[in-house]
């Protein structure tokens, strides 16, 4: 049997712990195999951004907080999701969808997109004022997409690569647009500037309701099994710090104090440690 030193033992333990967070053995889940026949080529912006575990967790939290500000997206979650009982499961399923559509074989990616489209077809209802909503509505899907894309990229730039060239940021949006369009979103931004303008265009449709604030609390308080409380607190604090000021105000969240500075340093440190563990440059 091959012997391993302390460093390799620690590396393997870290990788195992992270994989356990994102894969449910009871459901037969294993890590998504990386394919050379994926929708996107290796070493392109979308695959680099989505590879950083810590930045994606921070971006995922930020994305959910932002998404809930749109009444249609919020009501769909309230009416058709067991998020209160299984917030962790929802986050894990989203993470696996991102993984398979970014790194999996294109056939598996397209199959995953088809499954989500099928699920969305049944997510319909009415708001409290009688306005109908549908998870297949192109504009609602556009909101969910732009919230995700801007959140993932914001976290990656802040925590991993502050000097990421603007051309690569634009390429990230162009690549992510492939998935958004396959899900039926419209309009879909293809540059960072277009994403910023689309966010601004949505402002008049957003609402900081009591329900949105409840979901925000649940998102920030969720504790995935096996994840230390201090780590989850740091990730949530960083996600809130990266929110646009209007979103924090609408959700009743305060901008993190000077305490956020050491939290960011700790979060970056976690990212560097996991990149070492997963042997990422």
């Amino acid at each position: 049997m091959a012997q391993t030193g302390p460093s390799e033992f620690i590396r393997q333990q870290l990788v195992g712990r992270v994989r356990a967070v994102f894969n449910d053995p009871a459901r037969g889940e294993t890590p998504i195999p990386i394919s050379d026949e994926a929708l996107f080529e290796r070493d392109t912006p979308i695959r680099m951004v989505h590879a950083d575990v810590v930045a994606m967790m921070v971006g995922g939290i930020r994305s959910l907080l932002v998404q809930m500000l749109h009444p249609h997206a919020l009501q769909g979650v309230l009416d058709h999701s067991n998020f209160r009982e299984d917030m962790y499961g929802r986050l894990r399923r989203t993470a696996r969808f991102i993984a398979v559509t970014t790194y999996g074989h294109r056939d598996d990616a397209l199959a995953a997109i088809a499954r989500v489209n099928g699920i969305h077809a049944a997510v319909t209802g009415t708001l409290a004022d009688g306005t109908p909503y549908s998870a297949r509505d192109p504009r609602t899907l556009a909101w969910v997409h732009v919230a995700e894309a801007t959140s993932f990229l914001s976290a990656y730039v802040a925590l991993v690569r502050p000097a990421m060239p603007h051309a690569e940021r634009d390429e990230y949006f162009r690549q992510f647009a492939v998935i958004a369009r396959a899900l039926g979103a419209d309009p879909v931004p293809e540059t960072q500037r277009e994403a910023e303008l689309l966010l601004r265009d949505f402002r008049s449709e957003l609402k900081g309701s009591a329900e949105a604030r409840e979901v925000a609390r649940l998102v920030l308080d969720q504790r995935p099994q096996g994840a230390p409380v201090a780590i989850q607190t740091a990730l949530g604090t960083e996600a809130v710090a990266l929110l646009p000021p209007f979103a924090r105000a609408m959700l009743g969240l305060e901008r993190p104090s000077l305490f956020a500075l050491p939290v960011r340093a700790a979060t970056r440190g976690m990212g560097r440690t996991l990149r070492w563990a997963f042997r990422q440059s």
Side-chain angles (χ1 to χ4, degrees), residues 18 53 118 124 138-139 148 151 155:
V18 171
V53 176
T124 60
R139 188 162 176 84
E148 284 188 347
S151 293

Side-chain angles (χ1 to χ4, degrees), residues 2 41 57 80 122 139 155 160 251:
E41 294 182 2
M57 288 193 289
H80 297 271
R139 188 162 176 84
V160 183
L251 291 169

